[in-house]
Amino acid sequence: MESAQNHRPVIPQDQLPEHPRDRSPLTGAVRDLWRAALPSERLCYATGAVLTFSGLAHLLVFAVDGGPWDGPVSWRKPVTFGVSFGLTLIALTWVTSYLRIGARTRNVLLVVFAADCVLEVGGITLQAWRRVPSHLDMESGFDTAVSMSLAVGGGILVVLLSVFAVASFRRRPSGPTGMPLALRSGFAILLVALASGAAMIARGVILTKTGHQEAAYHSTAPLKPLHGVSLHAVLVLPALAWLMSRTAWSERTRNGVMRGAVACYAAAVAAAGVWAAITY
């Protein structure tokens, strides 16, 4: 029978073997996480690292080639999407180990998510090198196919991430003090990112279909800050909980800090939401 608990017991820090060449707690924790990872998790971690590296590499391309940073055709898109999707994939692979969800179900969802991330970043990067817009571009048959593939991929991302979000609320996640709140808050805020992303795609498609191609390219600008801020809460908040677990702070202190961090992050999302409402 499939286990409903994925999180593997964490060996106390003072019992971990010390590598003679590495005395960094952070690097040591990353190494231990990799050693304990399942094959599917290692695949996702490696894929996330490659996507992140691809995004950073395009910063060098931008430095050499130049051109605009903003707009539908720029090197900004492979940079930001590569780094964002890469970090999100790594973060999701890690944080879902604390969710009480079937192991096989989680592995399948993660692998599909990784493949979808590759599709999204690959399509965006391809179009950047072709010097054409990646989203909402219906100028040719090939461009339409890429644009629609990215839209479908975005829909799949919404479904997968929503499943993980629901799982975080159905049963209390495991982990150190503050982690359950961090995960539930992170996934709740992530749903805001998914909703804003879906709104950008929907409005852009409608404008494109009605013959307003140029307006479609610029229609997403008001929602981008909201989308960007809310997207990474599921990484930032759990990372804070993990870092606090490495301190000597009391449980009460860690819970208080986490509640404050969630409130600050929610305020930032609300501010981005107000900006979107004013400028949309």
Side-chain angles (χ1 to χ4, degrees):
M1 180 178 293
E2 184 178 0
S3 171
Q5 174 64 36
N6 283 301
H7 181 58
R8 291 176 288 279
V10 178
I11 302 174
Q13 191 71 20
D14 57 358
Q15 297 181 19
L16 291 173
E18 184 178 17
H19 194 281
R21 299 179 182 176
D22 182 16
R23 299 179 185 275
S24 169
L26 180 58
T27 306
V30 171
R31 185 181 63 248
D32 293 329
L33 182 66
W34 176 262
R35 289 176 177 175
L38 300 172
S40 59
E41 293 173 325
R42 290 190 176 187
L43 172 65
C44 292
Y45 286 134
T47 303
V50 170
L51 295 179
T52 303
F53 176 79
S54 173
L56 295 176
H58 279 85
L59 273 178
L60 298 178
V61 175
F62 172 69
V64 174
D65 186 64
W69 181 251
D70 294 320
V73 181
S74 71
W75 293 117
R76 170 188 55 83
K77 301 189 77 172
V79 171
T80 56
F81 277 83
V83 173
S84 182
F85 271 92
L87 292 179
T88 299
L89 176 55
I90 292 172
L92 201 72
T93 304
W94 170 53
V95 303
T96 55
S97 66
Y98 294 104
L99 299 183
R100 299 179 186 274
I101 186 174
R104 293 181 181 176
T105 300
R106 172 175 171 262
N107 289 340
V108 171
L109 293 176
L110 284 177
V111 171
V112 174
F113 183 75
D116 207 5
C117 289
V118 172
L119 170 67
E120 294 289 315
V121 176
I124 291 164
T125 303
L126 171 65
Q127 296 297 74
W129 281 95
R130 295 182 65 238
R131 309 286 182 160
V132 296
S134 56
H135 294 83
L136 309 174
D137 184 3
M138 309 294 180
E139 294 299 324
S140 70
F142 182 81
D143 293 329
T144 300
V146 172
S147 181
M148 294 307 298
S149 296
L150 295 177
V152 172
I156 294 174
L157 292 177
V158 170
V159 173
L160 296 175
L161 294 174
S162 297
V163 170
F164 285 129
V166 170
S168 72
F169 284 93
R170 287 188 62 185
R171 300 184 63 186
R172 180 181 173 84
S174 61
T177 300
M179 185 62 78
L181 175 60
L183 286 171
R184 286 176 168 175
S185 302
F187 275 113
I189 295 174
L190 180 62
L191 293 179
V192 176
L194 299 180
S196 58
M200 285 191 287
I201 293 175
R203 188 181 188 189
V205 169
I206 291 174
L207 289 172
T208 300
K209 294 293 186 181
T210 55
H212 301 87
Q213 186 71 60
E214 192 64 27
Y217 291 144
H218 299 287
S219 66
T220 61
L223 287 172
K224 285 181 178 179
L226 175 62
H227 183 70
V229 170
S230 55
L231 185 63
H232 295 293
V234 75
L235 167 60
V236 173
L237 296 176
L240 175 60
W242 180 86
L243 288 173
M244 289 194 297
S245 72
R246 266 55 185 173
T247 69
W249 295 353
S250 67
E251 183 174 334
R252 180 179 180 180
T253 299
R254 282 183 276 171
N255 278 324
V257 171
M258 181 53 65
R259 285 193 291 269
V262 170
C264 290
Y265 211 110
V269 172
V274 171
W275 170 258
I278 294 174
T279 59
Y280 195 59

